[in-house]
Amino acid sequence: MHRGLFITLEGIDGVGKTTQALLLREYLEQKGHTVVHTFEPGGTELGSRIRQLLLDPAHTELSSMTEILLYAADRAQHVHEKVRPALTAGKTVVCERFVDSSLAYQGYGLGLGLEAIRAVNHWATGGLEPDLTIYLDADPAVCLARTKKDRITQRDLDYYARVRKGFLTMAQAASGRVKVISATGTVEEVAAQVLQAVEGVVR
Ligand code: TMP
């Protein structure tokens, strides 16, 4: 059996990843795919505990290094328990956030070493890479106005400008894998662009 397709959705908090992931799932199921829709951090039971550690604003003492490693730990468990088994079984995985989020938020956003983050995540995932990444792009100020404040989203707009720039820089460097889609239109307009990008990789 062929390994299933691995599609990731990336973007700043409040950009509409979940809405688009659900529409994409519906589209792929209509095409006959068995789809696993999942997310990071927190796509497993153990991961949901790590998510709480990461997002609770009370954890003011949590260091940047710990933050990177907790996201990587969540990812290691997620890949081991959910993503890889699904792909091995020939299923299509639609995942909200993956390694690119760590590179954008912890690397570009916090200014931590990209190479170290890549290495840790390569280890955590066993080198798993998405077949396609959809990066939904929009103004952070607009996106963040829609979100609840947590330990990450309480960071300022300068931080989010760096995160956005990081996503766009990475997309340019990996243009074969990452498709940039403007998320400023209606849900339907954005979905049409997402489906067009996915058409290129679906079997
Ligand atoms: P979510 O709201 O998309 O579920 O993600 C929770 C927060 O975690 C969000 O603010 C983005 C952040 N995040 C990182 O900073 N690094 C990562 O590697 C991941 C997966 C998420």
Side-chain angles (χ1 to χ4, degrees):
M1 187 182 285
H2 284 301
R3 166 191 177 285
L5 260 184
F6 184 30
I7 301 172
T8 58
L9 284 160
E10 296 282 1
I12 280 167
D13 311 68
V15 78
K17 286 185 297 301
T18 304
T19 305
Q20 293 302 327
L22 291 170
L23 291 170
L24 177 57
R25 173 196 193 144
E26 215 176 283
Y27 166 82
L28 289 166
E29 282 175 348
Q30 276 166 16
K31 287 207 136 209
H33 291 234
T34 304
V35 180
V36 173
H37 168 211
T38 187
F39 60 95
E40 294 184 355
T44 62
E45 204 176 316
L46 198 141
S48 71
R49 297 207 194 175
I50 299 177
R51 182 183 174 93
Q52 283 171 18
L53 292 175
L54 281 161
L55 300 188
D56 188 342
H59 296 157
T60 50
E61 74 285 9
L62 202 150
S63 79
S64 303
M65 181 71 84
T66 309
E67 182 172 310
I68 290 173
L69 294 171
L70 284 175
Y71 278 114
D74 168 75
R75 186 162 295 131
Q77 184 64 27
H78 190 219
V79 168
H80 167 77
E81 191 181 320
K82 208 162 177 182
V83 178
R84 208 174 290 269
L87 294 174
T88 304
K91 296 177 186 167
T92 296
V93 175
V94 174
C95 183
E96 295 178 47
R97 302 194 180 282
F98 198 58
V99 178
D100 291 327
S101 275
S102 285
L103 291 165
Y105 281 77
Q106 282 69 50
Y108 289 90
L110 294 178
L112 300 167
L114 294 174
E115 279 322 307
I117 296 172
R118 274 200 190 95
V120 163
N121 277 281
H122 191 271
W123 193 50
T125 62
L128 180 65
E129 284 195 17
D131 298 296
L132 172 70
T133 297
I134 307 282
Y135 168 60
L136 297 173
D137 184 57
D139 181 352
V142 175
C143 297
L144 286 165
R146 303 181 188 130
T147 64
K148 213 174 102 222
K149 292 290 166 247
D150 59 34
R151 207 182 59 83
I152 305 288
T153 49
Q154 71 187 4
R155 291 176 180 163
D156 62 21
L157 280 177
D158 285 350
Y159 170 79
Y160 272 97
R162 293 194 296 277
V163 173
R164 181 189 197 184
K165 202 163 167 220
F167 274 127
L168 288 169
T169 304
M170 290 190 290
Q172 209 170 24
S175 58
R177 170 178 65 88
V178 186
K179 301 290 170 229
V180 179
I181 288 175
S182 167
T184 48
T186 64
V187 168
E188 294 73 25
E189 282 164 359
V190 177
Q193 291 183 74
V194 171
L195 299 191
Q196 200 181 7
V198 170
E199 274 296 331
V201 296
V202 288
R203 294 187 272 265

